[in-house]
């Protein structure tokens, strides 16, 4: 792709991600804030997302991730159908909200994977137009991959006695359903590769202990950005 068409493509992708993030902040965060933090408790402790600076930072982070991955992807001569660009922008927005929630509340709400899965279902008519009968095979494969991802990651959690939360498992399984096996495998790989050195750094600097919680959300976002930049999926 030459520089004349490269910049508009990057701009359009970034703007689409910003719009998706703005919509998530406008409608998703208030809905999440209306839920109880601990549904098993009788206390009316609500999930709070009132830190405007953190919200703004998350939006900027997602837009930078989208712009960076678009720059590398399109700069390498990559091309995507519109339906895939919509999926990617939706994923950036949801991962951004999941990242914010994981940092602030140490949880990833069920609404995040639900939105990813709903997005795939709502885009099915468009996939039929783009891919024809291949869309049926695609949705079946995605269901199998999502189920397999859930089982494998749950086994890892049981064997490792933690390490990955159920929120992360549900989010990655929904990502598998939306974007496919290669995308989720690559995202998990790069998320782990970025998480390990960051965790070692925090341990060395004594910012975290061996049993302290490290949010996985930001690393899943980073892993997804690298995946898209490399055109994997």
């Amino acid at each position: 792709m030459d520089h004349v068409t490269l910049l508009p493509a990057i701009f359009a992708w970034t703007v689409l991600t910003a719009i998706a993030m703005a919509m998530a902040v406008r409608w998703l965060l208030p809905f999440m804030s209306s839920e109880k933090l601990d549904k098993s408790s009788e206390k009316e402790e609500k999930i709070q997302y009132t830190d405007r600076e953190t919200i703004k930072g998350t939006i900027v982070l997602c837009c930078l991730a989208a712009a960076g991955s678009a720059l590398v992807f399109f700069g390498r001569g990559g091309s995507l159908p519109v339906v895939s660009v919509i999926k990617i922008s939706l994923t950036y927005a949801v991962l951004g909200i999941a990242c914010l929630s994981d940092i602030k509340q140490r949880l990833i709400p069920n609404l995040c994977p639900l939105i990813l899965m709903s997005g795939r279902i709502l885009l099915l008519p468009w996939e039929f137009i783009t891919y024809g009968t291949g869309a049926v095979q695609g949705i079946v494969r995605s269901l199998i991959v999502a189920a397999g991802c859930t089982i494998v990651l749950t086994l890892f959690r049981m064997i490792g006695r933690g390490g990955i939360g159920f929120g992360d498992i549900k989010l990655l399984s929904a990502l598998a359903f939306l974007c496919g096996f290669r995308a989720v495998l690559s995202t998990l790989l790069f998320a782990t590769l970025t998480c390990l050195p960051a965790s070692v750094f925090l341990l060395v600097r004594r910012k975290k202990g061996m049993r302290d919680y490290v949010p996985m959300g930001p690393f899943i976002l980073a892993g997804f950005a690298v995946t898209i930049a490399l055109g994997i999926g």
Side-chain angles (χ1 to χ4, degrees):
M1 181 178 291
D2 57 60
H3 68 279
V4 177
T5 54
L6 177 61
L7 291 179
I10 296 172
F11 178 76
W13 197 333
T14 306
V15 168
L16 190 59
T17 301
I19 292 173
M21 277 297 303
M23 292 173 65
V25 169
R26 174 65 179 83
W27 286 292
L28 180 57
L29 286 186
F31 179 83
M32 289 164 55
S33 298
S34 66
E35 295 184 329
K36 289 176 64 177
L37 183 57
D38 184 1
K39 294 184 179 181
S40 63
S41 172
E42 295 181 358
K43 295 181 180 180
E44 288 295 326
E45 186 180 358
K46 304 291 185 179
I47 302 175
Q48 298 296 327
Y49 300 93
T50 56
D51 188 346
R52 291 181 179 272
E53 293 303 317
T54 303
I55 292 174
K56 290 178 182 177
T58 304
I59 295 176
V60 172
L61 176 65
C62 286
C63 290
L64 288 176
S69 58
L71 174 62
V72 176
F73 179 78
F74 290 123
R76 292 169 60 245
S79 61
L80 284 173
V82 176
V83 65
S84 295
V85 175
I86 293 174
K87 286 182 181 180
I88 292 169
S89 296
L90 173 64
T91 304
Y92 271 126
V94 172
L95 290 183
I97 297 301
C99 175
L100 172 63
S101 177
D102 207 10
I103 292 173
K104 298 289 289 183
Q105 303 295 342
R106 298 186 176 186
L107 60 85
I108 296 177
N110 292 329
L111 196 58
C112 290
L114 181 61
I115 289 174
L116 291 180
M117 297 183 73
S118 299
R120 177 63 189 274
I121 294 172
L122 291 173
L123 286 171
L124 270 179
W126 200 333
E127 289 189 23
F128 274 109
I129 296 174
T130 305
Y131 304 113
T133 55
V136 177
Q137 298 175 348
I139 196 71
V140 172
R141 283 197 301 267
S142 295
L143 285 170
I144 295 172
V145 169
C149 183
T150 302
I151 294 171
V152 171
L153 292 178
T154 301
L155 288 175
F156 275 130
R157 174 182 169 81
M158 294 171 62
I159 295 171
R161 297 182 180 180
I164 183 170
F166 281 118
D168 302 319
I169 293 173
K170 287 182 283 188
L171 186 65
L172 288 167
S173 298
L175 180 61
F177 181 67
L178 180 67
C179 297
F181 171 74
R182 294 179 62 193
V184 73
L185 186 63
S186 175
T187 296
L188 185 57
L189 171 64
F190 289 116
T192 304
L193 290 177
T194 52
C195 181
L196 286 177
S199 299
V200 171
F201 175 78
L202 292 173
L203 286 172
V204 171
R205 295 295 300 272
R206 297 185 179 179
K207 299 290 185 181
K208 294 281 186 181
M210 288 296 293
R211 296 183 178 276
D212 288 341
Y213 178 82
V214 177
M216 192 67 180
F219 301 107
I220 294 176
L221 174 61
F224 182 74
V226 175
T227 295
I228 297 306
L230 297 178
I232 302 173

